[in-house]
Amino acid sequence: MEEEKKEATVSEAPAEEQKVVEEPFVAKDVSISEMNENEAELEKADAEYTATNIQVLEGLEAVRKRPGMYIGTTSGPGLHHLVWEIVDNAIDEALAGYCDRVEVTINEGETITVKDNGRGIPVDIVGKTGLSGVETVYTVLHAGGKFGEGGGYKVSGGLHGVGASVVNALSEWLEVEVHKNGGIHKMRFENGGHPTGRLTQVGKCEDNGTIVTFKPDPTIFVETTTYDYDIIHDRLKQVAYLNRGITIVITDARKGAGNKSETFCYKGGIKEYVQYINHNKVPLFEEVIYCEGSEPIELASGNTSHVYAEVALQYNDGYSAAVYSFCNNVSTHEGGTHEEGFRLAMTRVVNAYARDNKFLKENEDNLTYDDIKEGLTAIISVKHPNPQFEGQTKTKLGNFEVRKILSGIVGDQLNRFLMENPKLAKTIMEKIVMAANARLAARQARDNMRRKGGLELTTLPGKLADCSSKDPSKCELYIVEGNSAGGSAKSGRDRETQAILPLRGKILNVEKAQAKRIFANAEIGNMIQAIGGGLDPEFDVSKIRYHKVVIMTDADVDGSHIRILLLTFFYRFMRALIEQGYVYIAQPPLYKVDYHGKPYYCYNDEQLETLKKQLNLKPGYPFQRYKGLGEMDDTQLWETTMDPKNRKMLRVTLDDAIAAEQIFTDLMGDNVEPRKDFIAANAKFVKNLDI
Ligand code: 1YM
């Protein structure tokens, strides 16, 4: 989740379909493949050093002027993006087959060290620049990968190939240490990439590898320079799953962190990822179905490269789908051609098998992908030499040729699996046919509701205190836990723009309930009517009546449970509402301190401690801990939680659907243990969702 007033992130580029596959990673100015040790070149190099240096520093200055263009944002995510960039280079070295261990350390003072055991960045002089390989990679924008001799290739991730020089440009200082050919070579940059000297051999060694340490520039990352262990932990774990066999170590060496360290290495790769996602669900069978293949594609230069694709999938006995796709280790939330190819193949193969084996009668309609994906957990991972990322958040894979590649690989191998495993095939088919029947029943229930006027805009629920404005962009719907808080909210609100819908008790457990029952639930019905856009798959975001749907619950376990139930509901049935950033979580204060007749509100423990210091309060000075919204009167609720001028709401994002899905399932699945864990740790919830 992110705070309400967030700065603009990546701007959108035209999403045309790219017909020509271009050479990857424009290394036009300086290609490392052109590095050589030619004597004449070396002489020339010295003369060119100064000239190059000026150009290079201008390039780095451009990054410092508009960091957003290179790393999206200079808030928390941008700060962490620096780590991903350096880790990407190490992972690329591993994918090329030269490295199997990457270590990431958060050091005291919020610096980061990334270390790998690859070949080491080249230390020789690059003919064209007169700079060493290390200096070139760390100062020339877009310098970097090429197709390695080992047959592997650079598969840059993150914001797609911006690279090491951007990290350097945005660092107060950065040091590179290369172990190569028996020597230890070092170089240091300061103030956004200014070299303090040239690459120098400082000692001898017997190993190979690269060690990079940097300190993000606090004048760029003004909002925060504090690294979040959990964010780095989660991402590195994901990278380890997506690249089988690589050992990745994360260590928190900051004071007070207790030298926390974890190691990830998954021999089974995405197969293990699927098992992990399903770990608290009940799989229909133990096996994880796995498909893999690679296809040649021609690059614009006429050279041939390969697209590599792998898919792992498993069914569980639940109703929701968890299909996650990646390209070059980057999550593609918005889907794209790899997901399309996967869907096409699944639908084609399942229908053919169902008809051939009489799970579907001749007169029955085809099974839809919606039926097929019930209870499906799948990871789709593609490695592409020249990925085209499109869509609003640049997380949609656009390369058209990938659709056919995925469809071919999954089609052939899934078909073979079903043929060879008739018993498992039967289990899958029965599950899908059941889903199809449930879908028909749900459609009927929905039609009934529609006939009764249930989904019509004209019949607003009686419990709703609507606002007077009819402009959705100005309107806010507060979904409030409990009737008494609902009462305060109704009298405290801005009637022009704020509508209140009190919720009684807990809404249905959406994870476990079947569609039919969900539509019959009164509280859910009220919400659907109030919001006004209908439900997935027909949910129409252009018809919704509020552009802010605010969940306002107590700061206790029940409140957090209700919040999760609501989020689960939106996630499953009004996903666009979350995708478009229309869902918020209100942040009521946790504490009130009365001091000299004035109330002070604190929203977390840290603020309370700060306030105690500021006001110089003696230990034992009384303060009120709000247990629920109901303890606030209408004025207090308005001032602290609803007044747009003062309130601090969190916007729910789909940023890490995997984490969200895991929380939903942990909380509501059949397995009781994770639910207990969750409730014990529920205070962390908001943080956990924000990946
Ligand atoms: C801690 C970060 O950057 N490792 C790394 C980077 C490179 C190589 C090895 C490498 C690549 C190649 C040849 C090649 C890079 N080299 C370049 C460039 N770890 C980290 N390890 N030899 C070594 O791609 O052919 C860019 S990254 F451009 F110099 F080759």
Side-chain angles (χ1 to χ4, degrees):
M1 270 168 240
E2 53 201 26
E3 282 177 13
E4 181 186 8
K5 292 179 195 97
K6 76 178 198 83
E7 52 188 283
T9 48
V10 201
S11 61
E12 194 173 359
E16 304 155 11
E17 198 162 79
Q18 202 82 18
K19 285 273 165 7
V20 187
V21 181
E22 281 172 23
E23 192 80 63
F25 312 109
V26 223
K28 279 177 194 130
D29 299 332
V30 188
S31 158
I32 304 302
S33 57
E34 292 172 43
M35 279 185 184
N36 64 61
E37 292 159 69
N38 181 308
E39 294 281 323
E41 289 282 357
L42 279 178
E43 277 174 23
K44 218 174 80 195
D46 245 8
E48 279 177 0
Y49 184 79
T50 322
T52 309
N53 235 347
I54 293 165
Q55 273 181 9
V56 155
L57 291 173
E58 278 171 359
L60 296 184
E61 197 46 44
V63 178
R64 290 174 66 78
K65 276 213 184 95
R66 309 186 66 187
M69 282 202 23
Y70 298 85
I71 58 166
T73 161
T74 52
S75 60
L79 182 75
H80 289 80
H81 192 87
L82 304 185
V83 184
W84 317 150
E85 282 300 339
I86 304 300
V87 168
D88 276 349
N89 285 345
I91 296 296
D92 285 340
E93 182 68 354
L95 290 177
Y98 297 102
C99 154
D100 64 2
R101 187 178 174 88
V102 179
E103 294 171 25
V104 178
T105 307
I106 313 172
N107 306 303
E108 177 63 20
E110 306 296 336
T111 72
I112 296 283
T113 299
V114 184
K115 176 179 177 193
D116 71 44
N117 66 347
R119 289 168 291 179
I121 301 176
V123 295
D124 306 325
I125 300 294
V126 180
K128 278 208 173 160
T129 58
L131 307 179
S132 65
V134 170
E135 190 169 348
T136 307
V137 170
Y138 273 84
T139 58
V140 181
L141 291 182
H142 301 300
K146 59 157 190 129
F147 285 74
E149 285 79 16
Y153 55 70
K154 166 106 179 148
V155 293
S156 131
L159 278 185
H160 324 134
V162 295
S165 55
V166 170
V167 178
N168 198 12
L170 301 177
S171 290
E172 188 180 302
W173 56 262
L174 179 144
E175 284 178 355
V176 187
E177 180 176 328
V178 173
H179 294 211
K180 200 178 174 80
N181 307 331
I184 301 177
H185 309 260
K186 271 189 159 180
M187 173 151 199
R188 182 177 163 96
F189 306 86
E190 284 178 4
N191 275 326
H194 294 73
T196 58
R198 296 171 82 167
L199 183 71
T200 318
Q201 181 165 353
V202 296
K204 290 183 176 166
C205 63
E206 291 185 344
D207 58 343
N208 284 325
T210 305
I211 307 166
V212 174
T213 303
F214 63 90
K215 180 177 198 305
D217 189 336
T219 67
I220 303 267
F221 298 94
V222 284
E223 202 170 298
T224 176
T225 48
T226 307
Y227 277 105
D228 184 328
Y229 180 85
D230 292 342
I231 290 176
I232 300 181
H233 166 282
D234 291 356
R235 169 66 185 155
L236 294 181
K237 184 168 175 163
Q238 183 178 64
V239 170
Y241 274 123
L242 291 169
N243 301 281
R244 67 175 162 244
I246 304 180
T247 299
I248 304 183
V249 185
I250 159 121
T251 304
D252 194 339
R254 289 174 294 195
K255 282 197 197 101
N259 236 332
K260 223 177 338 183
S261 184
E262 279 161 277
T263 302
F264 313 115
C265 180
Y266 306 106
K267 296 246 151 22
I270 60 169
K271 274 203 218 176
E272 279 190 62
Y273 203 174
V274 163
Q275 283 170 327
Y276 168 71
I277 296 171
N278 270 347
H279 73 271
N280 46 35
K281 303 181 186 179
V282 182
L284 286 192
F285 42 85
E286 281 313 309
E287 244 141 310
V288 176
I289 303 174
Y290 180 74
C291 315
E292 175 189 39
S294 104
E295 289 285 335
I297 54 161
E298 198 179 317
L299 303 168
S301 62
N303 291 341
T304 300
S305 179
H306 288 86
V307 175
Y308 169 78
E310 55 176 340
V311 172
L313 60 98
Q314 189 179 43
Y315 275 95
N316 62 60
D317 71 351
Y319 299 102
S320 54
V323 177
Y324 304 114
S325 64
F326 299 85
C327 179
N328 296 356
N329 300 328
V330 178
S331 169
T332 35
H333 290 309
E334 295 174 279
T337 49
H338 49 350
E339 280 194 27
E340 288 164 19
F342 170 78
R343 276 204 298 272
L344 284 171
M346 290 288 287
T347 312
R348 187 175 70 236
V349 171
V350 165
N351 274 296
Y353 189 91
R355 292 223 181 266
D356 289 350
N357 297 278
K358 309 282 177 271
F359 290 98
L360 262 189
K361 296 195 195 77
E362 250 171 54
N363 62 346
E364 283 176 320
D365 284 346
N366 262 358
L367 302 162
T368 68
Y369 179 69
D370 279 337
D371 303 330
I372 294 170
K373 74 172 193 215
E374 266 198 22
L376 175 68
T377 299
I379 299 282
I380 303 163
S381 174
V382 171
K383 304 264 164 62
H384 198 291
N386 184 33
Q388 303 298 317
F389 292 98
E390 302 172 345
Q392 286 217 316
T393 54
K394 291 276 170 290
T395 56
K396 180 175 182 186
L397 185 64
N399 303 68
F400 74 99
E401 73 283 355
V402 171
R403 190 182 297 116
K404 199 167 156 210
I405 295 174
L406 257 290
S407 164
I409 292 171
V410 176
D412 293 350
Q413 295 176 38
L414 179 67
N415 190 35
R416 173 148 14 113
F417 178 89
L418 295 175
M419 302 281 209
E420 288 172 359
N421 299 278
K423 255 182 146 167
L424 302 188
K426 181 164 182 275
T427 312
I428 298 178
M429 291 302 148
E430 284 171 354
K431 162 103 182 158
I432 297 173
V433 168
M434 237 165 65
N437 292 338
R439 169 173 55 91
L440 294 175
R443 186 199 284 170
Q444 233 167 26
R446 217 159 37 210
D447 289 348
N448 285 344
M449 193 185 242
R450 215 172 257 130
R451 251 200 313 282
K452 284 190 283 172
L455 288 175
E456 298 303 320
L457 282 182
T458 44
T459 54
L460 288 170
K463 288 171 70 181
L464 174 76
D466 208 3
C467 51
S468 54
S469 167
K470 294 290 168 239
D471 174 357
S473 69
K474 294 205 178 87
C475 294
E476 305 177 348
L477 175 66
Y478 275 78
I479 300 174
V480 186
E481 169 186 6
N483 285 332
S484 79
S488 302
K490 272 183 201 173
S491 44
R493 70 188 166 133
D494 171 355
R495 284 164 188 274
E496 161 92 17
T497 57
Q498 296 180 322
I500 310 293
L501 180 66
L503 280 190
R504 184 173 30 87
K506 287 193 185 169
I507 58 164
L508 224 116
N509 183 336
V510 235
E511 174 76 17
K512 296 190 72 181
Q514 274 193 308
K516 281 204 280 215
R517 288 187 49 214
I518 290 174
F519 299 113
N521 180 274
E523 302 289 314
I524 298 260
N526 284 342
M527 222 161 53
I528 302 169
Q529 288 170 15
I531 293 172
L535 289 171
D536 285 329
E538 292 103 25
F539 180 70
D540 184 350
V541 82
S542 73
K543 293 219 177 93
I544 60 173
R545 306 173 59 249
Y546 314 92
H547 282 189
K548 286 199 170 78
V549 174
V550 188
I551 302 172
M552 188 156 76
T553 60
D554 290 341
D556 60 6
V557 171
D558 274 353
S560 114
H561 202 166
I562 292 173
R563 192 164 61 217
I564 308 249
L565 287 166
L566 288 170
L567 285 180
T568 308
F569 176 77
F570 292 138
Y571 178 72
R572 303 255 182 266
F573 294 98
M574 298 185 185
R575 186 166 301 184
L577 206 60
I578 298 186
E579 279 168 345
Q580 310 258 338
Y582 292 154
V583 181
Y584 294 82
I585 291 180
Q587 298 277 282
L590 283 184
Y591 304 103
K592 182 175 141 206
V593 180
D594 282 307
Y595 184 74
H596 288 311
K598 236 182 100 183
Y600 294 83
Y601 297 101
C602 301
Y603 293 82
N604 56 45
D605 292 334
E606 211 180 334
Q607 281 180 0
L608 180 65
E609 289 314 311
T610 314
L611 183 74
K612 281 182 185 168
K613 281 198 198 103
Q614 277 172 352
L615 301 181
N616 222 346
L617 301 181
K618 294 207 174 58
Y621 190 92
F623 60 85
Q624 186 184 357
R625 189 184 202 294
Y626 285 120
K627 287 191 207 70
L629 298 162
E631 293 175 29
M632 270 182 271
D633 64 27
D634 47 2
T635 319
Q636 289 171 331
L637 196 58
W638 163 255
E639 282 174 357
T640 61
T641 317
M642 297 176 70
D643 180 357
K645 283 211 250 2
N646 296 332
R647 73 184 176 195
K648 203 170 159 60
M649 303 199 297
L650 293 172
R651 177 192 262 170
V652 177
T653 71
L654 259 193
D655 255 9
D656 198 334
I658 296 184
E661 156 81 8
Q662 206 62 53
I663 292 166
F664 294 146
T665 323
D666 280 358
L667 190 66
M668 289 166 262
D670 299 315
N671 204 336
V672 189
E673 271 317 303
R675 178 162 37 217
K676 281 202 199 133
D677 293 349
F678 170 80
I679 290 179
N682 80 85
K684 265 186 82 185
F685 168 66
V686 165
K687 188 162 162 254
N688 282 347
L689 252 188
D690 184 11
I691 304 291

